[in-house]
Amino acid sequence: MKSIKYILGMALAVVFALTSCSDFLEAENKSAGGQTADDYFTTEIGQSAWRTNTFFSLRKIVTSTDILENSSDLYWPSRGRGDDEFVRFSLTAETEAVQNFYVACYELINNANGLIYYAGDKYKTDAIFLRAYGYYMLTQQFGGVPYITEYINNSNRDYPRADLKTIYDGCIADLVSVYDAAPEKAATNDGSVNKRAIAALIAKLNLAAAWDLETTLTDAAQGKYTVTGSAYATEAAKWAETSIAGIALTQTFEKKWAPSNEDANPETFFSVQWDRASYPGTNGGHGLQNDFGSYYGDISATCMKSVGSTKVPSAKSLYLWDQGDERFAGTFMTTFYNTKDTWGTEGYYAYYNATDAQKAALPIAWLYAPYYTDKAAFEAQLTAMGSRFKTGLANVPHAYIMSNPVVAYKFNDDGTWEEDAAVSGTYNDATLQNRLNFTPAVKKWDDPNTAQSNGNSQEDYRDIVVFHASDLYLVAAEAYMLAGQDAKCLEKINAVRTRANAGTLASLAAYDPSYTHGALQMVDLVLDERARELYAEGQRYMDLRRTRQLVKYNVAYNNYITTIADMSNSAGEIKWYRPIPTTELSSNTSVDMKQNPGY
């Protein structure tokens, strides 16, 4: 059973109104008999409802994939989505997705402060953790922001912008103060706050502080920096090890992300909960399974997953996983089953819902092979499987070798194949804009119980994992790197690579990724490993900004950025952070509340 189902229940009896970025949450009394908000929320039922609502606030943050993933090296838009403000670094203070994220973070923070205000120490551990998470997400996207640790239930709008050190140190101290009181759980898949989750957040805050406070950028275009201290990095490594606390990476990568493993995954430290049974309709879920991949047609006809084409793999992404690395097939759906008109046990979700014997006999719509696939061997495989590439079904069958250029194959009525010159071609913006099903879809967030009748972005009820073991292995690796302990950095990276069957590295010199690159730093190895392990987990923009590599990676691998000037304003200020929303700037009366550089 999920211990935190985020069912609002009684909490929905109270209307929470958010009128601007700085108005936060104000409770309006809707009860009969004149019961005030203070009367209700100081009761046990009221406090429990407030706690539930505070956890519920996480949902808007972890599903904001545009702000979390875009403006990076791993994803491109396709099919007419090329004018995205994020990939072009043309965000403004009025960009809705940026404003919504900013508001969502402060909604979480003020709810957490309200939980302490109404419940005192009863749920303090939960509140401190959730508030610190809100500030972690804000600082990684916006830099210094107003640091508020009291519940706002008045008209004051004078909130000065705090520096990063104040926020980092305050959040870390708060988390350390509640760590001993937090439960120590063997299983942490229920959405509850626990020691592993708290240690993970302390580690991440320290790692962010290590970069922001103890390194100096020397060359933005080359991603060069100098390390000026190691105190925060040392703490980050210590707390990452505390969070891991003996968790070995023994299950396969495929099993780690299998839907059937969601409620018993030993590597999950904290996750945001969804529960299909709590929503009788089909609009209570989220849309992460719909965010990463090509467009695969109208699901009412194709029986495929509905994906919006905003985040297909970049050309660099195609070459991240080398031969043998199980994370390519564990991340992407490489076989799409065909159908005539059967949903669930045929089509996309047959991968989960059909038996192995059934899948072995199902026709195949699209087959995706990685770049290193031997062309002759692949063609022999297609010949042997010819009868499974049937025409006349819901989807026109194709097979692809996902290299640059892409090699595509089409099939005749008798199952014979031939190269499809009209589809094969350079993997670039012009090609992607006009292609259906041209790339595999990310399967990490797939919900096998998705209903065909929906097709929108609210049918996914998978829990969203926020902190997990291999992420913390790589946090520790990065911290050790900053602390000058490259051997320990490699030890953690190799543990992650070993689980994936990717081989081990004796040194940075032994690392030669298959994508085009120049001279590599140790930070490049760390970031590449995070890309392979954490693809589509809402980490990439923060990873690049934190490590000072945002400019270097976007100029090299973002299809829409060619020079550092594309990421700067007319005054030459680089857009390292997102813009502070106009509504915040206009409603916050503090003289310290100014716009970020670059906007």
Side-chain angles (χ1 to χ4, degrees):
M1 294 290 292
K2 297 177 186 292
S3 70
I4 300 176
K5 293 185 179 179
Y6 303 171
I7 307 170
L8 293 187
M10 290 295 293
L12 287 178
V14 177
V15 176
F16 293 98
L18 186 65
T19 59
S20 80
C21 288
S22 286
D23 287 339
F24 307 111
L25 296 175
E26 296 178 350
E28 179 184 353
N29 180 24
K30 294 291 186 180
S31 65
Q35 185 184 37
T36 67
D38 284 348
D39 290 337
Y40 176 67
F41 289 117
T42 52
T43 67
E44 185 175 345
I45 293 176
Q47 292 167 358
S48 179
W50 193 284
R51 174 177 179 261
T52 299
N53 193 67
T54 306
F55 277 94
F56 193 88
S57 302
L58 287 165
R59 290 181 165 194
K60 297 177 186 177
I61 299 172
V62 299
T63 55
S64 298
T65 56
D66 283 351
I67 198 170
L68 295 174
E69 296 282 19
N70 287 355
S71 313
S72 78
D73 57 327
L74 299 185
Y75 315 98
W76 290 347
S78 67
R79 294 185 67 254
R81 307 297 180 92
D83 291 326
D84 182 273
E85 295 172 281
F86 287 93
V87 298
R88 294 185 183 276
F89 281 82
S90 59
L91 298 171
T92 71
E94 285 78 37
T95 299
E96 185 178 8
V98 174
Q99 176 174 308
N100 290 345
F101 186 85
Y102 191 95
V103 170
C105 289
Y106 272 113
E107 180 180 329
L108 173 65
I109 288 165
N110 202 51
N111 272 339
N113 287 335
L115 187 58
I116 296 173
Y117 178 83
Y118 284 116
D121 290 340
K122 185 175 182 179
Y123 299 122
K124 187 176 181 180
T125 298
D126 290 344
I128 291 295
F129 174 83
L130 295 173
R131 182 174 71 191
Y133 180 75
Y135 278 119
Y136 173 70
M137 299 302 281
L138 280 170
T139 55
Q140 301 317 288
Q141 295 285 344
F142 300 98
V145 293
Y147 184 48
I148 304 162
T149 57
E150 300 292 332
Y151 175 53
I152 297 174
N153 58 356
N154 55 53
S155 60
N156 178 36
R157 292 296 174 264
D158 184 1
Y159 299 106
R161 193 170 185 176
D163 60 77
L164 285 171
K165 181 172 173 55
T166 297
I167 300 173
Y168 288 147
D169 287 353
C171 289
I172 290 167
D174 284 345
L175 288 165
V176 171
S177 73
V178 298
Y179 175 78
D180 287 339
E184 186 161 4
K185 295 191 171 184
T188 54
N189 299 276
D190 59 2
S192 62
V193 176
N194 56 83
K195 277 186 166 61
R196 288 192 192 276
I198 292 173
L201 185 51
I202 295 173
K204 291 212 168 195
L205 283 160
N206 272 292
L207 184 62
W211 283 102
D212 287 332
L213 307 178
E214 294 183 333
T215 68
T216 300
L217 181 70
T218 58
D219 187 334
Q222 297 299 316
K224 299 291 186 180
Y225 60 91
T226 58
V227 178
T228 59
S230 60
Y232 285 106
T234 300
E235 283 293 296
K238 182 188 80 173
W239 282 101
E241 296 281 20
T242 300
S243 181
I244 295 166
I247 295 291
L249 307 180
T250 55
Q251 63 183 340
T252 65
F253 189 82
E254 174 82 16
K255 182 177 180 181
K256 174 173 180 171
W257 291 105
S260 59
N261 197 34
E262 178 176 85
D263 293 330
N265 193 329
E267 292 188 39
T268 298
F269 294 171
F270 182 75
S271 56
V272 180
Q273 304 288 286
W274 267 265
D275 184 17
R276 184 181 297 274
S278 300
Y279 290 87
T282 56
N283 295 309
H286 59 81
L288 253 65
Q289 68 173 338
N290 310 106
D291 284 347
F292 300 91
S294 294
Y295 177 62
Y296 305 107
D298 179 356
I299 69 169
S300 64
T302 65
C303 295
M304 294 299 179
K305 183 167 72 169
S306 175
V307 183
S309 301
T310 57
K311 298 175 185 65
V312 302
S314 68
K316 175 185 176 179
S317 291
L318 299 182
Y319 289 87
L320 273 174
W321 295 269
D322 288 334
Q323 189 164 5
D325 193 328
E326 297 171 359
R327 289 172 294 187
F328 179 82
T331 299
F332 296 102
M333 184 68 76
T334 57
T335 302
F336 286 56
Y337 295 101
N338 216 335
T339 183
K340 192 168 185 178
D341 56 11
T342 302
W343 178 263
T345 54
E346 295 181 4
Y348 182 87
Y349 292 100
Y351 181 80
Y352 307 102
N353 298 325
T355 66
D356 289 343
Q358 289 171 330
K359 285 186 285 187
L362 284 175
I364 295 173
W366 309 310
L367 185 66
Y368 302 92
Y371 72 90
Y372 50 76
T373 300
D374 180 80
K375 189 168 183 281
F378 188 60
E379 291 174 352
Q381 178 186 358
L382 297 182
T383 298
M385 298 173 63
S387 63
R388 298 186 65 188
F389 291 95
K390 297 177 181 178
T391 58
L393 299 177
N395 304 280
V396 178
H398 270 91
Y400 304 92
I401 298 176
M402 298 305 302
S403 55
N404 191 9
V406 173
V407 182
Y409 298 87
K410 61 183 178 180
F411 295 84
N412 303 311
D413 292 343
D414 60 0
T416 58
W417 56 266
E418 58 186 282
E419 273 197 54
D420 192 342
V423 177
S424 297
T426 303
Y427 192 84
N428 60 20
D429 184 58
T431 303
L432 288 168
Q433 292 307 316
N434 300 304
R435 298 301 179 207
L436 173 75
N437 63 63
F438 198 59
T439 69
V442 171
K443 66 182 184 182
K444 276 186 175 179
W445 307 112
D446 283 351
D447 184 346
N449 297 312
T450 297
Q452 183 181 14
S453 59
N454 198 325
N456 64 18
S457 60
Q458 301 298 315
E459 179 59 14
D460 190 346
Y461 289 86
R462 290 285 302 278
D463 296 342
I464 296 178
V465 180
V466 175
F467 299 134
H468 59 85
S470 57
D471 180 12
L472 269 295
Y473 270 76
L474 295 174
V475 167
E478 191 176 323
Y480 285 131
M481 177 197 73
L482 282 178
Q485 301 180 60
D486 285 356
K488 285 191 173 182
C489 172
L490 281 170
E491 178 184 327
K492 292 299 180 185
I493 287 174
N494 282 333
V496 174
R497 290 176 62 86
T498 297
R499 186 259 290 279
N501 197 32
T504 59
L505 299 167
S507 66
L508 175 63
Y511 181 57
D512 185 21
S514 296
Y515 63 84
T516 302
H517 61 84
L520 296 174
Q521 308 174 82
M522 185 65 82
V523 69
D524 295 309
L525 170 56
V526 171
L527 286 171
D528 281 357
E529 215 53 56
R530 289 188 65 80
R532 298 180 187 101
E533 190 74 16
L534 309 176
Y535 196 90
E537 292 183 40
Q539 302 281 339
R540 195 56 174 180
Y541 171 82
M542 297 189 294
D543 285 351
L544 296 186
R545 188 218 62 81
R546 180 184 67 251
T547 59
R548 313 284 195 171
Q549 305 305 305
L550 186 68
V551 173
K552 173 185 170 182
Y553 276 49
N554 273 280
V555 171
Y557 305 114
N558 180 338
N559 212 31
Y560 302 91
I561 299 296
T562 56
T563 69
I564 194 171
D566 294 333
M567 302 173 61
S568 308
N569 65 3
S570 58
E573 296 174 323
I574 299 172
K575 299 174 182 178
W576 287 101
Y577 289 108
R578 312 300 194 181
I580 301 293
T582 296
T583 46
E584 169 66 10
L585 296 173
S586 62
S587 61
N588 190 336
T589 61
S590 172
V591 295
D592 297 328
M593 199 63 215
K594 294 181 172 59
Q595 184 54 272
N596 278 329
Y599 301 96

